[in-house]
Amino acid sequence: MKKFILFCCLCAAAIFFYYTNNTTEQSQIDLSSLHSKNALLLDKNGDVLYEKDADAIIYPASLTKIMTAIVAIEMSPDLQKQTIVEPQTISKFTAQNASMAGFQAGDFVTIEDLLYGTLLASGADATGTLADAIAGSEEAFVTLMNNKAHELGMDDTHFVNASGLHDDAHVSSVRDISKLFRYAMENPTFYQILTSKSYITHVPDELTISSSLFTKIPSGESAILGGKTGYTPEAGLCLATIIEKHGEQYIFVTTNAAGQAWAPPLHIEDALTAYDAL
């Protein structure tokens, strides 16, 4: 009986020290120098390693395109299906000064081309054409996006458009975006596109689409495997990224870093800070 009690005590002590050490490790992650006002760092199991105002309502800017892409992938049995880039799509987003992938009115493109244009170049010309091709209109496509958000338990999220252009009612939180990002990364097509540095389209005149993330990462830096950037004046600099360290992958989502899309990439600096802290 005494041996049994001793054994139980030793087991309890081991469990205590295990969880104490784990808690200590997580609490040692110091990200107090972040430029972003909202942040969430998750390990491969989805456990929270660090958070900063993760439930605050934010404007997701082009992080929206994560949802646009995964809905388009799931709704497209044939990624080589062709569609046409309509003149009104180009004129609409050019007038709004949206970021563009470089497609031209009248181009015949595949769904795959548009997905690369959406995730790598963050092109509104790509998202608008995707929405029309899949749902008939952007409004109908946004309904699919909101349905998927509800399915994923993204309770702080409401989408108004497929591009992430600012609208006061187009909102989310970094916790919601992390749910979406983790879900999307499980799709092999999404993961392949997101982690690509560039892509050459199948349109008659070849168009090279480069990653708006990798073009901003310091040369030789390999901590970031892929991700989606975003910016509007209201949302600040935003980033959802995959970080790898010691063979383990992490998700880091940030929004509301000061600056402009063409300024020093403080959101990427925050991702590299998280990498150093792991």
Side-chain angles (χ1 to χ4, degrees):
M1 185 65 179
K2 289 182 179 179
K3 289 182 179 179
F4 177 76
I5 293 173
L6 178 61
F7 173 77
C8 291
C9 290
L10 289 173
C11 289
I15 292 171
F16 172 80
F17 283 115
Y18 172 80
Y19 282 104
T20 299
N21 288 340
N22 270 10
T23 302
T24 301
E25 287 176 7
Q26 292 190 15
S27 66
Q28 287 176 349
I29 295 180
D30 179 14
L31 297 179
S32 57
S33 64
L34 290 183
H35 301 284
S36 302
K37 294 180 181 178
N38 314 96
L40 189 64
L41 177 64
L42 306 176
D43 66 14
K44 64 179 181 180
N45 299 315
D47 295 327
V48 176
L49 302 182
Y50 175 85
E51 62 180 283
K52 177 183 179 183
D53 291 336
D55 296 307
I57 299 300
I58 54 93
Y59 298 120
S62 285
L63 300 187
T64 299
K65 295 182 176 85
I66 299 170
M67 179 63 87
T68 304
I70 192 61
V71 168
I73 291 168
E74 292 182 346
M75 295 293 293
S76 302
D78 180 11
L79 298 185
Q80 300 310 312
K81 177 184 176 182
Q82 287 195 332
T83 188
I84 191 170
V85 179
E86 299 289 351
Q88 59 266 32
T89 300
I90 300 299
S91 59
K92 170 185 175 181
F93 291 113
T94 300
Q96 295 182 71
N97 198 31
S99 59
M100 307 287 269
F103 298 110
Q104 301 296 317
D107 281 347
F108 281 95
V109 294
T110 65
I111 299 298
E112 183 179 50
D113 292 338
L114 295 171
L115 287 168
Y116 276 95
T118 295
L119 287 176
L120 295 193
S122 201
D125 48 349
T127 63
T129 305
L130 269 178
D132 288 343
I134 290 170
S137 68
E138 185 172 24
E139 292 76 13
F141 188 83
V142 169
T143 297
L144 300 177
M145 294 169 65
N146 282 319
N147 289 344
K148 176 60 72 172
H150 178 73
E151 176 188 323
L152 296 177
M154 298 170 64
D155 297 332
D156 297 323
T157 298
H158 177 71
F159 295 114
V160 175
N161 57 64
S163 64
L165 286 169
H166 180 72
D167 187 294
D168 286 344
H170 190 97
V171 295
S172 189
S173 66
V174 294
R175 197 178 306 278
D176 273 8
I177 295 297
S178 72
K179 291 177 184 178
L180 168 62
F181 198 44
R182 288 189 71 232
Y183 172 81
M185 279 173 50
E186 293 176 359
N187 184 287
T189 300
F190 180 94
Y191 188 88
Q192 177 183 333
I193 296 171
L194 189 80
T195 55
S196 298
K197 293 185 177 180
S198 64
Y199 171 80
I200 299 176
T201 71
H202 302 146
V203 297
D205 296 322
E206 289 186 350
L207 172 66
T208 298
I209 298 175
S210 298
S211 166
S212 60
L213 170 62
F214 284 116
T215 55
K216 295 183 177 72
I217 296 176
S219 178
E221 181 58 64
S222 60
I224 297 175
L225 298 184
K228 183 72 197 73
T229 58
Y231 171 78
T232 64
E234 297 83 2
L237 294 168
C238 307
L239 180 63
T241 190
I242 312 165
I243 301 172
E244 185 174 60
K245 190 166 186 178
H246 304 313
E248 298 289 340
Q249 289 190 4
Y250 303 85
I251 285 176
F252 191 47
V253 179
T254 59
T255 63
N256 267 313
Q260 294 82 35
W262 58 88
L266 299 181
H267 49 341
I268 295 174
E269 183 178 318
D270 282 350
L272 296 177
T273 297
Y275 172 84
D276 290 339
L278 287 167

